Amino acid sequence: MAKKDTMKTAFGRPVGNDLNSLTAGERGPLLMQDVHLLEKLGHFDRERIPERVVHAKGAGAYGYFEVTADVTKYTKAAFLSSVGKKTDVFARFSTVGGEKGSADAERDPRGFALKFYTEEGNYDMTGNNTPVFFIRDPLKFPDFIHTQKRDPSTNLKSPTMAWDFWSLTPESIHQVTILFSDRGTPATYRNMNGYSSHTYKWYNDKGEYFWVQYHFKTDQGIKNFNGAEAKDMCGKDPDHATRDLYNSIANGDFPSWTLEMQILTPEQAETFEWDIFDITKVWPHSQVPPITVGKLVLNRNPENYFAEVEQAAFNPSNLVPGIGVSPDKMLQGRLFSYHDTHLHRLGPNYNLIPVNQPKNSQQLNHQRDGAMRVDENGLGRPNYWPNSFSTIQPEGKNEEPEIPLHSAASRYEFTHPNDDYVQAGNLYRNVMTMADRDSLITNILGNMAEVPLRIKLRQCAIFYLADKDYGERVAKGLQLDLGLVERLASMSQEERVAATADL
Ligand code: NDP
Ligand code: HEM
């Protein structure tokens, strides 16, 4: 039997009794001087930190990323600098809208967040299991997320809020189509792909840059639940995907993903058919064939969920030399939001929490103090810059090449040739199988049943614009007037909203 150590209080005092509180007499009231009890209750009272405002329910694991192709002509990132090079990784998968105790099998996009502990600092690829998103301007994000959470009055999830917003936001149709297909209910976290969704920038040591998108393709194969199976799983095991990830890794069955990149030169981007900074669009593979670049393997479970998974803080602005952002407005909005929310959720020194520390680099700067500063806080070294004592200094070679900008500041709408319906239609017509389409329609009908008429009509017109058959099948299923749906589809969005306002 292992040797037992004496239990101690938070301040190291040996504990004599951890079962009976100190009382005045056998049946008397508690004594204030039971400092052990007070410390224990006080700590318990503060055990919860705010859950993530989105992606609250998740599971994480450690592993590595290995480079399998030479990409040095595209990026100077050190962790991508040679074939065979391995970098430590922490991954977290999640659902989006549900609370920390919600079911893993809910219909929702899945978060696919990776932290690469590179020698040039942490690089975070904070993506989803879908290549697109519902909106393309960060100003709409809080509103969109409110529709995925609970109704302020009933405290219930509300399909009406969701479809009201989507039917008034036609650029959502591509992601809505993926969400209501069976890819909206992946069978496990291991059986889904991960996408950057956004366009990022890679730049090489000559200062040349490229626009890129990341696709982590599951080596376990895509597997999804249909709507009925997902509902069933929500009741049977609300933690099924968390359990699956943990058990697979514990049993030595390590999940892996193959990283494929789509890469465009700035010249190609100039004449590209789609706005490459519009996150509601993909780059068709026929136009930009993905190239295989590396392998992600997860092979170690965290030992403490709170310390390592709950306190993990991903951030799209954690970038390394050789990787930059694009002007994608959503991405630009995210550059603010993650650091800001971590300050609120975890505190100003969240980057000192072990899972968030740059393990293969160091924090070497002049930032000091703040709540929970628990390292040596720079000891006696200078805490200002410039100074003539320090042994650390910035090095210009780490700066990103300059970015030319020549535009007037304004609140611009997306006007680039940008049909919002074509790609959703291509997915429905050309990529989905008959069975995929049947599932999609069944899932939509199940979800839209109780939604007010004007919302059903507006949304069916949007389905119709993506694909006639798609619109007609949903309209038929909802017993709508097909002629009216067709007429609404021929109107502009503003006309459609006005025409349905009183229904
Ligand atoms: P392709 O036929 O070349 O590629 C289709 C892609 O769709 C494949 O990567 C496949 O990836 C994925 N896919 C297959 N079945 C489904 C499904 N039921 N739901 C969602 N994705 C699926 O076509 P294009 O590149 O021209 O794209 C056509 C449509 O495919 C797009 O409008 C988009 O909706 C979807 N798609 C495109 C991607 C891209 O980057 N071009 C990425 C993912 C989806 P796999 O089965 O390995 O996941
Ligand atoms: C989590 C904001 C769009 C992927 C979060 C969190 C916030 C946030 C505040 C909680 C972070 C935390 O508490 O740790 C936003 C805003 C967006 C946006 C403002 C748009 C303007 C996106 C998009 C993607 C994405 C487009 C995918 C491409 C994720 C993931 C997480 C997350 C994966 C969970 C990270 C983790 O596992 O801890 N987001 N988000 N988000 N977001 Fe976003």
Side-chain angles (χ1 to χ4, degrees), residues 50-56 58-59 91-96 110-113 125-130 132-133 135 137-139 141-142 145 195-198 200 279 309-310 312-314 316 329-334 337-338 341-342 345-346:
E51 64 176 35
R52 289 167 176 82
V53 61
V54 278
H55 296 262
R92 181 174 180 272
F93 308 119
S94 48
T95 49
V96 180
R110 300 294 187 268
F112 194 104
M125 203 300 301
T126 315
N128 276 341
N129 72 326
T130 58
V132 292
F133 202 70
I135 49 171
D137 191 308
L139 206 48
F141 188 78
I145 291 299
Y195 302 91
S196 62
S197 319
H198 299 285
Y200 284 86
I279 193 176
V309 186
E310 193 58 14
F314 295 88
K329 295 178 200 183
M330 284 282 285
L331 177 56
Q332 297 274 325
R334 295 179 73 197
S337 214
Y338 289 69
T341 202
H342 299 330
R345 188 169 73 86
L346 300 164

Side-chain angles (χ1 to χ4, degrees), residues 131 174 178 181 183 193 195 215 217 222 262 282-286 423 426-427 431-432 436:
H174 198 176
I178 297 176
S181 78
R183 292 208 178 196
N193 297 334
Y195 302 91
H215 305 242
K217 306 291 288 273
I222 295 277
Q262 284 185 295
V282 295
W283 302 355
H285 290 169
S286 53
Q423 291 201 350
N426 285 343
L427 173 63
V431 177
M432 287 186 172
D436 289 337

Side-chain angles (χ1 to χ4, degrees), residues 70-77 123 198-214 261-270 276-277 283 288 291 322-327 331 400-403:
D70 183 2
V71 288
T72 51
K73 68 177 173 185
Y74 301 117
T75 174
K76 64 175 186 175
Y123 169 54
H198 299 285
T199 295
Y200 284 86
K201 182 199 273 180
W202 274 7
Y203 54 94
N204 63 23
D205 52 10
K206 296 193 204 107
E208 296 161 333
Y209 70 90
F210 304 85
W211 300 118
V212 301
Q213 295 214 339
Y214 298 63
M261 297 296 297
Q262 284 185 295
I263 304 181
L264 278 176
T265 63
E267 296 74 34
Q268 288 171 315
E270 283 288 311
I276 62 163
F277 306 129
W283 302 355
V288 194
I291 57 168
I323 303 181
V325 295
S326 73
L331 177 56
E400 186 174 334
E402 64 180 28
I403 309 164

Side-chain angles (χ1 to χ4, degrees), residues 67-71 215 217 258-262 289-295:
V67 180
T68 56
D70 183 2
V71 288
H215 305 242
K217 306 291 288 273
T258 300
L259 173 59
E260 296 179 359
M261 297 296 297
Q262 284 185 295
I291 57 168
T292 299
V293 158
K295 180 77 84 188

